[in-house]
């Protein structure tokens, strides 16, 4: 039986998404090679309130916006936040 | 193109910023924009806005916008932008933008574009504060 490598990513929540998640950051252990969409499904299962704002959620890995097929690696920092409001 | 960016918790001293502008013989248009905190939000009175930023990403996204601005308006000579974070009282500026270019057309276009793109891509959020 193949053993799947596990990597650890940090998920950070910004603005009022911190209230929806109840934390400002947490770690998830995922299978190496999983994409962002797979992680987001787990995040939303854990925090159903984030499912309700799915359509307006912005997602970044590090300091770049990334699509759901972006592959995650060990130590990646994933950020979830609502629409931005600078100015 | 001169590019200057500052995210700061301090009040924006736009007189000092203006005094620090480097005049050139080719910049016939200098456009300065101030974004000021209004005293109401969605019709309700407020006393301040508390701005939160994902600083590292905000700086990165601003730098990308500056590079794209340079590509779109290559004659723009300088862009300087200051965004205040933390608590900004009503009637004080939260944003200062200055664009210098040979002619006013590209300065107005570039400034409008930059602020529109900031509101689309730069991770800064606001929370209205009301009451004493």
């Amino acid at each position: 039986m193949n053993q799947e490598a596990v990597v650890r990513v940090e998920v950070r929540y910004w603005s009022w998404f911190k209230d929806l998640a109840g934390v400002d950051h947490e770690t998830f252990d995922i299978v190496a090679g999983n994409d962002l969409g797979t992680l987001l499904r787990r995040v939303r299962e854990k925090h159903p309130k984030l499912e309700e704002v799915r359509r307006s959620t912005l997602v970044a890995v590090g300091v770049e916006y990334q699509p759901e097929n972006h592959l995650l690696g060990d130590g990646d920092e994933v950020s979830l936040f609502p629409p931005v409001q600078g100015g | 193109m001169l590019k200057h960016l500052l995210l700061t918790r301090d009040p924006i001293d736009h007189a000092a910023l203006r005094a620090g502008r480097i005049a050139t013989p080719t910049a016939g248009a200098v456009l300065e924009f101030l974004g000021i905190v209004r005293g109401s939000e969605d019709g309700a009175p407020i006393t301040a806005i508390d701005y939160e930023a994902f600083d590292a990403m905000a700086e990165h996204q601003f730098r990308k916008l500056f590079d794209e601005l340079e590509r779109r308006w290559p004659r723009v000579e300088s862009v300087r932008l200051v965004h205040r974070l933390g608590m900004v009282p009503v009637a004080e500026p939260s944003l200062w933008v200055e664009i210098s270019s040979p002619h006013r057309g590209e300065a107005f276009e570039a400034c409008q574009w930059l602020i529109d793109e900031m509101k689309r891509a730069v991770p800064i959020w606001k929370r209205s504060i009301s009451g004493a």
Side-chain angles (χ1 to χ4, degrees):
Chain A
M1 178 176 146
N2 290 334
Q3 281 226 313
E4 291 173 315
V6 170
V7 298
R8 179 160 289 188
V9 297
E10 178 166 299
V11 178
R12 305 170 75 184
Y13 307 99
W14 296 90
S15 185
W16 49 275
F17 278 19
K18 284 182 278 204
D19 303 324
L20 297 185
V23 292
D24 59 8
H25 72 280
E26 61 189 335
T27 56
F28 282 80
D29 291 333
I30 61 169
V31 174
N34 269 4
D35 65 13
L36 189 52
T38 305
L39 172 69
L40 292 176
R41 278 192 290 280
R42 282 189 50 197
V43 169
R44 288 165 177 145
E45 281 169 16
K46 184 172 181 184
H47 305 292
K49 287 179 181 172
L50 288 170
E51 176 65 33
E52 296 167 19
V53 293
R54 179 180 184 147
R55 282 167 173 265
S56 60
T57 298
L58 298 176
V59 184
V61 179
V63 294
E64 292 282 9
Y65 292 100
Q66 296 293 354
E68 294 209 348
N69 62 2
H70 176 85
L71 297 181
L72 293 170
D74 194 36
D76 275 346
E77 286 185 0
V78 177
S79 288
L80 276 72
F81 47 85
V84 302
Q85 303 169 292
Chain B
M1 189 175 87
L2 170 74
K3 302 165 188 169
H4 173 80
L5 170 68
L6 178 65
L7 304 178
T8 178
R9 265 79 183 166
D10 296 328
I12 294 175
D13 184 348
H14 49 96
L17 287 161
R18 190 178 301 144
R21 178 165 53 85
I22 299 164
T24 72
T26 47
V30 177
L31 179 64
E32 199 179 333
F33 173 84
L34 277 172
I36 309 286
V37 173
R38 283 185 298 268
S40 66
E41 188 80 6
D42 298 327
I46 65 167
T47 56
I49 289 180
D50 187 13
Y51 286 92
E52 174 190 358
F54 176 0
D55 290 61
M57 183 172 175
E59 290 193 10
H60 178 72
Q61 295 294 326
F62 267 130
R63 299 281 178 202
K64 285 177 70 175
L65 293 179
F66 287 179
D67 289 347
E68 176 64 14
L69 186 152
E70 183 174 28
R71 196 186 66 75
R72 289 174 177 237
W73 293 278
R75 292 194 303 172
V76 166
E77 295 185 5
S78 121
V79 55
R80 296 194 293 159
L81 185 150
V82 179
H83 201 305
R84 188 172 167 187
L85 303 173
M87 206 69 80
V88 184
V90 164
E92 290 191 19
S94 56
L95 176 67
W96 179 83
V97 183
E98 180 205 77
I99 309 248
S100 298
S101 63
H103 302 284
R104 71 182 184 281
E106 59 240 10
F108 277 110
E109 284 179 17
C111 188
Q112 181 82 48
W113 176 87
L114 179 59
I115 295 170
D116 285 348
E117 289 298 300
M118 174 193 75
K119 289 176 175 289
R120 183 189 62 77
V122 177
I124 296 175
W125 305 273
K126 55 187 186 182
R127 185 169 60 94
S128 300
I129 306 297
S130 55

